[in-house]
Amino acid sequence: MPGDTSSLTRLRIALTVFFALDGFVFAGWVVRIPAIKAQTGASASTLGLALLGVSAGAVITMTLTGRLCRRYGNHRVTVVCAVLLSLSVALPPLTHSALALGLVLLLFGAAYGGINVAFNSAAVELVAALRRPVMPSFHAAFSLGGMVGAGLGALVAGVLSPTRHLLLLTLVGLLVTAAAGPTLLRHEPPAPPERGVPAGGAPRRLDGRTRALVIVFGLIAGCTAYGEGALADWGALHLEQDLNASAGAAAVGYSCFALAMTVGRLTGTTLLERLGRTRTVVAGGTTAAAGMLLGALAPSLWAALLGYAITGIGLANLFPVAVERAGALAGPDGVATASTLGYGGMLLGPPAIGFMADWFSLPAALTSVAVLAAVAAAVGALVGASARRTAGD
């Protein structure tokens, strides 16, 4: 199995399906948040507190999933979490108070956090077995799944109630898991991790230098996710409020960013093969910094949209590279650390932008995305040589 090309190809396809399913289910839930807010009668502030359930569940589970993956295997944990994710997405529309919504979102967030650590850990192992930097292709599948999920949600919003829509997502999720899950369950991981977690299952004690590198890669992931969260929540408002765009034109802003990020990830393997990981991180962070400065400070709508697209291309491969490097250094625990820090950046972005917008202005606040992208590039350049010596590049 470990050297069987056809088996590795089947595993790659199965993992790609789970990445796409994760994006599809999560986006389907997000587009129904306004309807569920009305159903529960929650105010904006109480809804915000309820939505923290997703974040809390994800972060708590991410810190534990590395141990579960070592004990039961990345493939089994991926399949179990996919089932839980599919079942839990049907629960929010069954609630009628913000408290009940927050409690069910804890379960949904736990499944979401768990599957992200598990399938990223499995992907790290497969990347090592394939000896090709294909990690961005998995994250491209997540982005594509999210775009399909959001598009389907927009189409059915006027036809299906949130209950029926999210139940449909449950059925799709269970069917996809039933189709792709057996491929993961039939096969052991293609190769034991070379570092951090030996084949015996007990994690090897990491030295201080390796731990520091894992945290650094997590910080790069956090800088990237900060930009994703900020543009998702504030990008359209900037176009509408500061550039006088219509609501429809403003909505195009995030679409430009998301589409560019997807294209960047689809071409990420080729880019990594030509430039290597360090130069890809440096070039991506620098590109994203320049793009976000244009997107935040441009005086016209079209220039801002171009800036959003450039930002998406620049950020596209930073998170996949950071997670893959952390996993190569420390196995599932490394993936868990990088994912937790990355998710923390996504949580920090929107409120930080809000506070800075109140203190200064929204365009000024959005330049913080450029600053952190530049930080990611600088950090990537500084640790590149050390990371190559520790884990290989």
Side-chain angles (χ1 to χ4, degrees), residues 22 42 51 78 87 102 113 116 133 146 151 165 174 202 209 214 228 302 311 351:
D22 187 41
L51 292 177
T78 296
L87 293 174
N116 273 269
H165 175 205
L174 293 176
R209 180 187 183 190
V214 169
E228 291 187 54
W302 293 108
T311 304

Side-chain angles (χ1 to χ4, degrees), residues 55-70:
S55 308
V59 169
I60 291 170
T61 308
M62 283 177 173
T63 61
L64 300 174
T65 305
R67 300 176 189 174
L68 294 175
C69 287
R70 287 200 310 272

Side-chain angles (χ1 to χ4, degrees), residues 278-324:
T278 298
R279 282 183 286 181
T280 296
V281 169
V282 173
T286 304
T287 300
M292 198 61 240
L293 287 176
L294 177 62
L297 303 177
S300 68
L301 172 64
W302 293 108
L305 291 176
L306 176 62
Y308 283 14
I310 293 172
T311 304
I313 290 175
L315 293 179
N317 295 304
L318 301 191
F319 193 97
V321 169
V323 170
E324 189 261 328

Side-chain angles (χ1 to χ4, degrees), residues 2-328:
D4 188 338
T5 302
S6 63
S7 294
L8 294 178
T9 300
R10 288 195 294 272
L11 274 180
R12 183 179 179 183
I13 293 171
L15 279 175
T16 300
V17 168
F18 279 108
F19 272 85
L21 176 64
D22 187 41
F24 176 80
V25 171
F26 191 79
W29 142 248
V30 167
V31 299
R32 299 317 294 256
I33 289 176
I36 292 173
K37 175 182 181 296
Q39 176 181 304
T40 58
S43 65
S45 59
T46 55
L47 177 66
L49 290 173
L51 292 177
L52 283 177
V54 177
S55 308
V59 169
I60 291 170
T61 308
M62 283 177 173
T63 61
L64 300 174
T65 305
R67 300 176 189 174
L68 294 175
C69 287
R70 287 200 310 272
R71 181 168 183 178
Y72 300 106
N74 301 325
H75 295 176
R76 292 184 182 90
V77 176
T78 296
V79 173
V80 170
C81 287
V83 172
L84 292 176
L85 184 74
S86 301
L87 293 174
S88 60
V89 76
L91 298 178
L94 304 180
T95 61
H96 297 282
S97 70
L99 176 60
L101 178 62
L103 291 174
V104 301
L105 289 180
L106 275 171
L107 178 60
F108 179 71
Y112 179 75
I115 195 172
N116 273 269
V117 171
F119 62 33
N120 272 296
S121 298
V124 167
E125 294 171 342
L126 187 56
V127 167
L130 290 171
R131 301 183 182 276
R132 291 191 66 211
V134 298
M135 195 71 169
S137 68
F138 295 117
H139 289 261
F142 174 86
S143 298
L144 287 170
M147 292 174 67
V148 172
L152 176 64
L155 288 175
V156 304
V159 181
L160 296 179
S161 66
T163 301
R164 291 183 177 180
H165 175 205
L166 297 188
L167 181 59
L168 177 63
L169 295 187
T170 293
L171 295 175
V172 171
L174 293 176
L175 287 173
V176 170
T177 302
T183 300
L184 295 187
L185 297 176
R186 276 198 305 266
H187 301 297
E188 292 297 318
E194 295 181 2
R195 295 178 179 267
V197 184
R204 182 193 308 167
R205 186 178 296 276
L206 303 176
D207 58 38
R209 180 187 183 190
T210 302
R211 289 180 186 277
L213 281 172
V214 169
I215 292 173
V216 165
F217 286 123
L219 292 176
I220 291 174
C223 289
T224 305
Y226 177 97
E228 291 187 54
L231 277 169
D233 284 18
W234 294 99
L237 182 62
H238 165 57
L239 299 180
E240 190 170 349
Q241 171 184 291
D242 300 310
L243 298 180
N244 299 314
S246 66
V252 171
Y254 183 71
S255 298
C256 288
F257 171 77
L259 181 60
M261 178 169 277
T262 302
V263 172
R265 287 174 169 174
L266 287 172
T267 58
T269 296
T270 300
L271 188 67
L272 285 166
E273 288 177 331
R274 291 182 178 179
L275 297 182
R277 294 175 178 87
T278 298
R279 282 183 286 181
T280 296
V281 169
V282 173
T286 304
T287 300
M292 198 61 240
L293 287 176
L294 177 62
L297 303 177
S300 68
L301 172 64
W302 293 108
L305 291 176
L306 176 62
Y308 283 14
I310 293 172
T311 304
I313 290 175
L315 293 179
N317 295 304
L318 301 191
F319 193 97
V321 169
V323 170
E324 189 261 328
R325 287 290 82 198

